[in-house]
Amino acid sequence: MAKNHSTTTLSPTVAQSVEQHTDTETRVSSPKLSNEPIVFDIEHAVVEDDPRIWSNTKKNIVLSIISGASMIAGLSANIQNPANAQIEQQLHTSSGEISLSLSLFILVQGNFPVLWSAISEIKGRKLVYLLSVALFTLGSIIVATSKTIGLLIGMRILQALGSSAVIAIGAATLADIYEPSQRGTMMGIYYSAPLLGPSLGPILGGGLAQGLGWRAIFWFLVIWGGIIFSAFLFLFKDTFRKERSVIYQKVLKKRLQEQQSSETKAESRKIPEESQVTDEKQTNSKDIEAQPTVVPASAIREVKMTIADVNPFPPYLLIISRKNNFAILIASGFLFAFGFSIAYTCARTLSMHYNYDALKTGLVLLAYGIGSVAGSILGGRWSDRTLSRLKAANGGESFPEMRLESTKVVMLWLPLSVIGYAWVCQERVHVAAVCVMVFLAGFLSIWMYASTLAYIVDANTGRSSTAVATNSSFRGLFAFIAAEVAVPLQDSIGDGGLYTIWAGLLIITNCLILLVMYKGRKWREASAEREKEKQ
């Protein structure tokens, strides 16, 4: 059985070189030089000040800060909706331009995490958090003072750019500090924070817009951004350890081999051609792996990655080239797009057919938010419990696909609850029934999403931030499309038709998850072998 970890293979010489430098924190137990490759478990490479052995208090501080930061992403995407009419009137714009400010926001927010992920591999997590939150806060200030719709749209894009970083490296930060067996629970807790956005956003936005005007919404985001920036600056300690990064290990191996090659060639030039050397002492300078040369510790200390080393696009393509990743990313995209669509269209239904104002609409959507938070936390816990149970039954060995077993319990009920919501809204049933249906839709969809997100991290060890950034790209694209088609479909075929279609898409989502559950391990291991052969 394959164990649940990712490995990298170094030559005996490189391994010995790495071992002799204690500052690199990647150590091995004094291997003897041989022709056998030495395999490192990157997931558990020994590092200085290992974040995984930090105290629970320290870990909880990290979890609280990144959860608070992730609320920025959820709130800023939804908080504008109740004030759209005010913005349209005061800035003398059209509903099409208002819609563009919303759809471009979610598109940028979904796709820019790939670049933040690359930067975090060079500079660590903390600097990325500080820079991104600063950009978000700056964008919020300019939006709050905007006099034209063009400036508002541009600065909403800047807000999206800044709020997107935590989407990618928030989950990677949790992977830095928690073992795989704990990640499902912690991912559930972490992801519950941005899920409050679709419910709290309309309440906060509606209350602020009615009481103080639409600009107060963005001044509120300025204050929240300032609080989070201060928390990262004074309370957050960087969790990134390069020795547990696949990218760093590849760069280290490449640099060491280059230096060994250079030293070997320099040594060979010192030997006169007429010198008589026994065959046993002759060295082929091309055979780098056979060299017993020990690279000085200073050489390893000087290994620094550049943007060329962490070009985000090859890793991005590598992630989606794996069949198991591609299938689960599509499933994740559908789940996220469904949540974005139902929060958007439900508010419209309540306004048009139930004559609810912004505040009452927000209170109804609170049911969706509560269901989402409950599904995230409970689904994460069930995911960890399922993984532990299957691991014990498998002789103490686990693999990432085991986690997806936890989604089976809700697969039948999610499409049924969506069909229920569709026809409750279509037939204008009492609002209490709408609350029940949106609660179930939120609870069941996020129960599944929590497990798919944890799987994406577990199945891409050493590339967690890139994998989560790729997931963000998929979900941003799917949500953008969902936002663009939701209103035309709602107007033409009603909530009944629209969400019956969504029920069908969620059945396809279930099939994709089942496919990865039963075929994913085989696909993943085959992909790993192909990648190893190319190195």
Side-chain angles (χ1 to χ4, degrees):
M1 291 291 181
K3 293 185 179 181
N4 182 22
H5 62 221
S6 176
T7 61
T8 187
T9 303
L10 303 184
S11 69
T13 305
V14 173
Q16 185 187 52
S17 302
V18 174
E19 183 187 359
Q20 293 202 1
H21 177 52
T22 58
D23 291 340
T24 63
E25 299 97 39
T26 304
R27 303 170 189 169
V28 292
S29 56
S30 301
K32 296 179 180 179
L33 288 177
S34 69
N35 291 326
E36 292 296 322
I38 297 170
V39 179
F40 290 92
D41 177 5
I42 294 179
E43 180 76 62
H44 298 96
V46 179
V47 297
E48 184 178 346
D49 189 22
D50 190 345
R52 293 188 186 164
I53 61 174
W54 286 353
S55 67
N56 286 333
T57 300
K58 200 169 182 178
K59 290 181 178 181
N60 288 338
I61 290 173
V62 172
L63 178 61
S64 299
I65 294 173
I66 63 171
S67 295
S70 69
M71 283 189 69
I72 288 176
L75 276 175
S76 55
N78 295 275
I79 200 169
Q80 176 187 324
N81 289 336
N84 284 338
Q86 279 190 23
I87 297 172
E88 186 175 343
Q89 181 181 12
Q90 292 184 20
L91 297 185
H92 308 291
T93 186
S94 66
S95 58
E97 289 173 315
I98 294 294
S99 296
L100 187 63
S101 72
L102 297 172
S103 57
L104 283 178
F105 181 94
I106 198 67
L107 183 64
V108 172
Q109 190 186 65
N111 285 278
F112 206 83
V114 174
L115 297 179
W116 286 126
S117 173
I119 296 171
S120 75
E121 294 285 343
I122 303 173
K123 299 297 184 181
R125 316 286 193 215
K126 183 170 183 173
L127 182 63
V128 170
Y129 282 132
L130 290 172
L131 178 59
S132 62
V133 175
L135 288 175
F136 170 81
T137 306
L138 176 63
S140 300
I141 292 172
I142 300 177
V143 170
T145 58
S146 294
K147 302 296 183 183
T148 64
I149 188 62
L151 182 60
L152 185 145
I153 291 174
M155 291 303 101
R156 283 287 281 167
I157 290 174
L158 184 62
Q159 277 187 309
L161 188 153
S163 66
S164 66
V166 72
I167 294 174
I169 64 176
T173 300
L174 296 185
D176 293 339
I177 64 176
Y178 291 110
E179 294 290 345
S181 61
Q182 301 172 298
R183 287 177 192 161
T185 299
M186 297 308 164
M187 288 287 181
I189 295 172
Y190 156 70
Y191 196 68
S192 66
L195 291 173
L196 289 172
S199 54
L200 294 183
I203 294 174
L204 288 171
L208 289 169
Q210 287 180 8
L212 300 171
W214 68 268
R215 296 182 189 276
I217 292 173
F218 297 99
W219 286 118
F220 169 79
L221 293 178
V222 171
I223 294 170
W224 187 251
I227 292 171
I228 297 301
F229 182 87
S230 300
F232 276 123
L233 182 62
F234 297 111
L235 301 177
F236 182 81
K237 186 173 183 180
D238 206 334
T239 62
F240 179 67
R241 298 295 181 267
K242 59 188 178 183
E243 292 77 21
R244 289 178 177 165
S245 166
V246 170
I247 296 174
Y248 172 78
Q249 293 289 353
K250 288 182 177 179
V251 172
L252 175 61
K253 180 180 178 181
K254 180 181 177 182
R255 302 282 170 81
L256 290 175
Q257 288 180 337
E258 287 174 353
Q259 180 148 348
Q260 287 176 314
S261 177
S262 176
E263 291 180 358
T264 302
K265 290 177 180 178
E267 185 68 24
S268 66
R269 284 196 295 268
K270 294 179 182 179
I271 302 175
E273 291 183 2
E274 64 273 18
S275 297
Q276 294 182 351
V277 184
T278 60
D279 290 340
E280 290 78 7
K281 292 183 180 181
Q282 285 184 342
T283 303
N284 183 355
S285 63
K286 294 181 181 180
D287 187 9
I288 306 304
E289 299 292 343
Q291 300 302 311
T293 307
V294 176
V295 178
S298 59
I300 302 174
R301 276 198 297 269
E302 294 170 0
V303 172
K304 293 182 179 179
M305 292 187 292
T306 66
I307 195 66
D309 295 319
V310 293
N311 179 353
F313 298 107
Y316 179 93
L317 295 175
L318 181 64
I319 294 293
I320 63 176
S321 68
R322 291 187 171 191
K323 292 180 183 178
N324 63 304
N325 285 339
F326 189 70
I328 210 71
L329 287 168
I330 292 175
S332 176
F334 276 135
L335 289 169
F336 183 82
F338 165 73
F340 192 81
S341 177
I342 197 171
Y344 183 40
T345 59
C346 184
R348 195 163 179 263
T349 296
L350 292 169
S351 175
M352 292 191 306
H353 302 300
Y354 289 81
N355 297 317
Y356 274 25
D357 60 24
L359 195 56
K360 287 183 179 179
T361 297
L363 290 172
V364 173
L365 289 176
L366 184 60
Y368 176 78
I370 292 171
S372 298
V373 172
S376 182
I377 295 173
L378 296 178
R381 289 183 180 274
W382 185 259
S383 175
D384 281 346
R385 181 178 176 181
T386 301
L387 180 63
S388 298
R389 175 174 56 82
L390 294 176
K391 180 179 178 180
N394 196 42
E397 296 181 347
S398 66
F399 48 91
E401 288 72 23
M402 286 180 174
R403 186 181 293 282
L404 296 178
E405 289 280 343
S406 64
T407 63
K408 282 183 175 179
V409 70
V410 299
M411 281 185 174
L412 173 64
W413 304 109
L414 177 58
L416 292 178
S417 71
V418 175
I419 291 174
Y421 168 78
W423 294 100
V424 161
C425 289
Q426 184 73 24
E427 299 300 323
R428 315 289 183 253
V429 178
H430 191 274
V431 72
V434 177
C435 291
V436 171
M437 289 299 136
V438 294
F439 173 87
L440 289 175
F443 179 83
L444 297 170
S445 63
I446 301 304
W447 178 293
M448 295 181 67
Y449 185 85
S451 291
T452 60
L453 183 60
Y455 172 79
I456 288 167
V457 172
D458 289 350
N460 294 280
T461 304
R463 300 185 180 94
S464 57
S465 62
T466 302
V468 176
T470 306
N471 178 62
S472 298
S473 180
F474 268 67
R475 75 180 201 173
L477 178 61
F478 278 50
F480 174 79
I481 295 171
E484 289 296 304
V485 304
V487 172
L489 286 175
Q490 189 181 30
D491 288 341
S492 60
I493 60 178
D495 285 309
L498 173 60
Y499 285 95
T500 298
I501 292 174
W502 264 114
L505 292 174
L506 292 172
I507 290 173
I508 294 173
T509 298
N510 289 343
C511 293
L512 288 170
I513 293 174
L514 288 170
L515 187 63
V516 175
M517 195 183 305
Y518 295 113
K519 295 286 188 179
R521 185 182 181 187
K522 180 180 177 181
W523 290 343
R524 181 169 47 80
E525 291 176 349
S527 296
E529 286 298 322
R530 285 196 301 270
E531 291 161 14
K532 187 182 295 185
E533 290 173 1
K534 292 179 181 179
Q535 293 177 359

